[in-house]
Amino acid sequence: MPATVRLRAREGFDQWTHMVGELVMPVSLTTPYADDRFRATVTSVPLGDTGLSGFSFSPMSARRAAAHIRRGDPERYFLFLVHGTAVGIDQCRNTALLTAGTMGLFDTSHPLACEFFDEGEDRLSRVSLIPLRRDLLPVPRDRADALLGTALPAGTVSGTLLASYVSGLRALAGRADAAELHRLGAATLALASAYLATATDSTAPLPEETRREVLVARIRAFIDARLSDPGLDPATVAAHHHISVRLLHRLFEDQPETVAAHIRRLRLERVRADLADPRLARHTVAALAARRGYRHPADFNRAFRRAYGLPPGEYRRLAGRPRTTEGGPGATPDPPPPVTGT
């Protein structure tokens, strides 16, 4: 029968990592919300030779390396449907950006990178996953492998039926007994097989400009997820994405700011938001700065004052003061505008 687990807080994120390893495959997970803001829910529906899992979680990054594969490989494909925020996927030299309503395919036997993009703390990533045993999938292995890490075609009859079926099954699975769920497993495999067979005939390589846009989006997500790392810099970003620093700078030539300026701005904006958050009032300014990657409080204080025109402690005091009528006694000034940089 379907099982649902809801998780929150740091202990929940550690448990979440373990659960993903059990339900899907061993991976390394990172998130900027691995504190009391992390939220996650998973519902797992057994369907005989396959299954259906619904995941909802705070934005994060997932990496599966050769070491993870050696640790545990179920040797399966996973077909997934995106419901929430955009998902970036990179596998077998293919890169795609999947938006809500689109589907993708990954293989547990190859290294994999996924970015579940951050569109605000209240926007969760939501995906449905269908595990597919290779020996039960009537699609040639080489043709299925060509789909890995790509955005599968949308709008086909089989794709529309499969998406509707997945959503309906997630909603109604709790009303089915074990025997009916087993029979539904056969229908799930049939629909998934029909869809992938159609996709192998219609998938074309991504245009170069689209690949560039997807890579920039992945880089931004990587930076966002690792702001707490004091060593995060353009060289680290380039190395992680297997490109040169020179190419990284070229990718950002038509962006509003350089990579280094983007990192500086995000760090300052995150600390600024933390300073105004009453839930974090028990943390010192230095502690809040450290968790966003600032090694030395003095460096952070100078950067904050240069960007916003006042010390971080003063900003925190003003942000926490109750607002009054404009121009009246004790009126609180508006917070400084976001920092900009080039």
Side-chain angles (χ1 to χ4, degrees), residues 123-146:
R123 294 289 306 280
L124 299 182
S125 296
R126 295 186 294 115
V127 295
S128 294
L129 266 66
I130 301 174
L132 300 170
R133 281 173 43 185
R134 294 168 184 160
D135 59 326
L136 297 180
L137 191 64
V139 177
R141 179 76 180 273
D142 59 338
R143 296 178 71 185
D145 284 353

Tab-separated table of all heavy atoms in Angstrom, residues 123-146:
chain	number	residue	atom	x	y	z
A	123	ARG	N	8.648	27.672	-2.841
A	123	ARG	CA	8.433	26.908	-4.063
A	123	ARG	C	9.187	25.593	-3.965
A	123	ARG	O	10.410	25.575	-3.893
A	123	ARG	CB	8.905	27.703	-5.283
A	123	ARG	CG	8.120	28.956	-5.582
A	123	ARG	CD	6.725	28.628	-6.106
A	123	ARG	NE	6.763	27.741	-7.262
A	123	ARG	CZ	7.022	28.143	-8.507
A	123	ARG	NH1	7.287	29.429	-8.757
A	123	ARG	NH2	7.032	27.286	-9.506
A	124	LEU	N	8.483	24.481	-3.927
A	124	LEU	CA	9.108	23.177	-3.790
A	124	LEU	C	9.306	22.521	-5.154
A	124	LEU	O	8.562	22.764	-6.099
A	124	LEU	CB	8.247	22.268	-2.909
A	124	LEU	CG	8.008	22.716	-1.478
A	124	LEU	CD1	7.170	21.675	-0.739
A	124	LEU	CD2	9.317	22.953	-0.744
A	125	SER	N	10.335	21.677	-5.218
A	125	SER	CA	10.513	20.817	-6.378
A	125	SER	C	9.605	19.608	-6.212
A	125	SER	O	9.532	19.024	-5.128
A	125	SER	CB	11.973	20.361	-6.483
A	125	SER	OG	12.835	21.456	-6.695
A	126	ARG	N	8.909	19.230	-7.283
A	126	ARG	CA	8.006	18.085	-7.214
A	126	ARG	C	8.182	17.238	-8.469
A	126	ARG	O	8.069	17.733	-9.587
A	126	ARG	CB	6.548	18.546	-7.080
A	126	ARG	CG	6.259	19.280	-5.777
A	126	ARG	CD	4.780	19.592	-5.596
A	126	ARG	NE	4.313	20.552	-6.595
A	126	ARG	CZ	3.419	20.300	-7.529
A	126	ARG	NH1	2.887	19.083	-7.630
A	126	ARG	NH2	3.038	21.243	-8.376
A	127	VAL	N	8.456	15.969	-8.266
A	127	VAL	CA	8.641	15.034	-9.379
A	127	VAL	C	7.987	13.700	-9.058
A	127	VAL	O	7.849	13.323	-7.885
A	127	VAL	CB	10.136	14.807	-9.701
A	127	VAL	CG1	10.793	16.079	-10.210
A	127	VAL	CG2	10.880	14.274	-8.484
A	128	SER	N	7.577	12.993	-10.112
A	128	SER	CA	7.113	11.610	-9.998
A	128	SER	C	8.120	10.720	-10.705
A	128	SER	O	8.551	11.039	-11.822
A	128	SER	CB	5.734	11.437	-10.645
A	128	SER	OG	4.740	12.163	-9.955
A	129	LEU	N	8.505	9.607	-10.077
A	129	LEU	CA	9.509	8.699	-10.626
A	129	LEU	C	8.913	7.315	-10.846
A	129	LEU	O	8.214	6.782	-9.977
A	129	LEU	CB	10.706	8.570	-9.687
A	129	LEU	CG	11.902	9.500	-9.930
A	129	LEU	CD1	11.505	10.944	-9.675
A	129	LEU	CD2	13.084	9.097	-9.066
A	130	ILE	N	9.225	6.736	-12.017
A	130	ILE	CA	8.821	5.365	-12.345
A	130	ILE	C	10.082	4.558	-12.625
A	130	ILE	O	10.801	4.836	-13.597
A	130	ILE	CB	7.911	5.323	-13.585
A	130	ILE	CG1	6.650	6.157	-13.364
A	130	ILE	CG2	7.545	3.875	-13.936
A	130	ILE	CD1	5.790	6.277	-14.616
A	131	PRO	N	10.422	3.562	-11.779
A	131	PRO	CA	11.582	2.715	-12.059
A	131	PRO	C	11.244	1.699	-13.154
A	131	PRO	O	10.145	1.136	-13.188
A	131	PRO	CB	11.833	2.023	-10.719
A	131	PRO	CG	10.481	1.978	-10.062
A	131	PRO	CD	9.747	3.199	-10.516
A	132	LEU	N	12.192	1.476	-14.059
A	132	LEU	CA	11.960	0.572	-15.186
A	132	LEU	C	13.094	-0.445	-15.275
A	132	LEU	O	14.250	-0.077	-15.523
A	132	LEU	CB	11.874	1.368	-16.495
A	132	LEU	CG	10.766	2.416	-16.584
A	132	LEU	CD1	10.954	3.291	-17.814
A	132	LEU	CD2	9.399	1.738	-16.614
A	133	ARG	N	12.769	-1.699	-15.049
A	133	ARG	CA	13.768	-2.760	-15.219
A	133	ARG	C	14.135	-2.882	-16.699
A	133	ARG	O	13.270	-2.905	-17.568
A	133	ARG	CB	13.222	-4.095	-14.712
A	133	ARG	CG	13.265	-4.251	-13.210
A	133	ARG	CD	12.567	-5.511	-12.751
A	133	ARG	NE	12.885	-6.688	-13.588
A	133	ARG	CZ	12.309	-7.876	-13.428
A	133	ARG	NH1	11.375	-8.029	-12.492
A	133	ARG	NH2	12.640	-8.876	-14.200
A	134	ARG	N	15.404	-2.953	-16.967
A	134	ARG	CA	15.853	-2.977	-18.356
A	134	ARG	C	15.337	-4.201	-19.112
A	134	ARG	O	15.004	-4.114	-20.300
A	134	ARG	CB	17.380	-2.944	-18.408
A	134	ARG	CG	17.969	-1.641	-17.893
A	134	ARG	CD	19.459	-1.767	-17.702
A	134	ARG	NE	20.036	-0.548	-17.124
A	134	ARG	CZ	21.211	-0.518	-16.518
A	134	ARG	NH1	21.931	-1.629	-16.390
A	134	ARG	NH2	21.669	0.617	-16.033
A	135	ASP	N	15.275	-5.341	-18.427
A	135	ASP	CA	14.851	-6.565	-19.116
A	135	ASP	C	13.356	-6.568	-19.424
A	135	ASP	O	12.892	-7.392	-20.213
A	135	ASP	CB	15.208	-7.798	-18.277
A	135	ASP	CG	14.570	-7.780	-16.897
A	135	ASP	OD1	14.416	-6.680	-16.330
A	135	ASP	OD2	14.212	-8.856	-16.385
A	136	LEU	N	12.589	-5.641	-18.818
A	136	LEU	CA	11.159	-5.579	-19.083
A	136	LEU	C	10.795	-4.449	-20.040
A	136	LEU	O	9.617	-4.286	-20.382
A	136	LEU	CB	10.386	-5.382	-17.768
A	136	LEU	CG	10.500	-6.505	-16.730
A	136	LEU	CD1	9.686	-6.151	-15.488
A	136	LEU	CD2	10.037	-7.832	-17.314
A	137	LEU	N	11.791	-3.688	-20.468
A	137	LEU	CA	11.537	-2.542	-21.334
A	137	LEU	C	11.781	-2.942	-22.795
A	137	LEU	O	12.921	-3.218	-23.183
A	137	LEU	CB	12.456	-1.382	-20.950
A	137	LEU	CG	12.160	-0.020	-21.573
A	137	LEU	CD1	10.793	0.484	-21.115
A	137	LEU	CD2	13.245	0.980	-21.208
A	138	PRO	N	10.731	-3.007	-23.624
A	138	PRO	CA	10.874	-3.451	-25.018
A	138	PRO	C	11.400	-2.355	-25.945
A	138	PRO	O	10.859	-2.103	-27.017
A	138	PRO	CB	9.444	-3.854	-25.383
A	138	PRO	CG	8.586	-2.949	-24.597
A	138	PRO	CD	9.319	-2.720	-23.294
A	139	VAL	N	12.462	-1.688	-25.488
A	139	VAL	CA	13.121	-0.653	-26.289
A	139	VAL	C	14.600	-1.005	-26.325
A	139	VAL	O	15.196	-1.268	-25.270
A	139	VAL	CB	12.917	0.748	-25.666
A	139	VAL	CG1	13.672	1.805	-26.458
A	139	VAL	CG2	11.431	1.092	-25.603
A	140	PRO	N	15.231	-1.058	-27.495
A	140	PRO	CA	16.662	-1.397	-27.568
A	140	PRO	C	17.492	-0.523	-26.645
A	140	PRO	O	17.256	0.685	-26.524
A	140	PRO	CB	17.008	-1.152	-29.044
A	140	PRO	CG	15.717	-1.327	-29.768
A	140	PRO	CD	14.661	-0.813	-28.826
A	141	ARG	N	18.477	-1.119	-25.990
A	141	ARG	CA	19.279	-0.423	-24.989
A	141	ARG	C	19.946	0.824	-25.570
A	141	ARG	O	19.956	1.888	-24.936
A	141	ARG	CB	20.329	-1.382	-24.416
A	141	ARG	CG	21.270	-0.778	-23.375
A	141	ARG	CD	20.587	-0.628	-22.037
A	141	ARG	NE	21.484	-0.045	-21.047
A	141	ARG	CZ	22.322	-0.734	-20.285
A	141	ARG	NH1	22.365	-2.063	-20.391
A	141	ARG	NH2	23.087	-0.141	-19.415
A	142	ASP	N	20.519	0.703	-26.770
A	142	ASP	CA	21.220	1.851	-27.324
A	142	ASP	C	20.276	2.999	-27.639
A	142	ASP	O	20.626	4.180	-27.495
A	142	ASP	CB	22.012	1.451	-28.569
A	142	ASP	CG	21.125	0.863	-29.662
A	142	ASP	OD1	20.014	0.381	-29.347
A	142	ASP	OD2	21.539	0.890	-30.836
A	143	ARG	N	19.041	2.662	-28.026
A	143	ARG	CA	18.080	3.718	-28.340
A	143	ARG	C	17.568	4.381	-27.063
A	143	ARG	O	17.340	5.599	-27.026
A	143	ARG	CB	16.924	3.148	-29.152
A	143	ARG	CG	17.351	2.625	-30.522
A	143	ARG	CD	16.197	2.027	-31.276
A	143	ARG	NE	15.252	3.049	-31.715
A	143	ARG	CZ	14.097	2.775	-32.329
A	143	ARG	NH1	13.761	1.505	-32.568
A	143	ARG	NH2	13.300	3.737	-32.711
A	144	ALA	N	17.392	3.593	-26.016
A	144	ALA	CA	16.989	4.178	-24.739
A	144	ALA	C	18.103	5.045	-24.167
A	144	ALA	O	17.846	6.133	-23.634
A	144	ALA	CB	16.607	3.082	-23.759
A	145	ASP	N	19.354	4.588	-24.287
A	145	ASP	CA	20.477	5.349	-23.754
A	145	ASP	C	20.621	6.704	-24.440
A	145	ASP	O	21.121	7.661	-23.841
A	145	ASP	CB	21.774	4.559	-23.898
A	145	ASP	CG	21.893	3.451	-22.862
A	145	ASP	OD1	21.030	3.388	-21.960
A	145	ASP	OD2	22.840	2.655	-22.947
A	146	ALA	N	20.196	6.785	-25.696
A	146	ALA	CA	20.280	8.060	-26.412
A	146	ALA	C	19.351	9.119	-25.805
A	146	ALA	O	19.526	10.312	-26.057
A	146	ALA	CB	19.948	7.854	-27.883
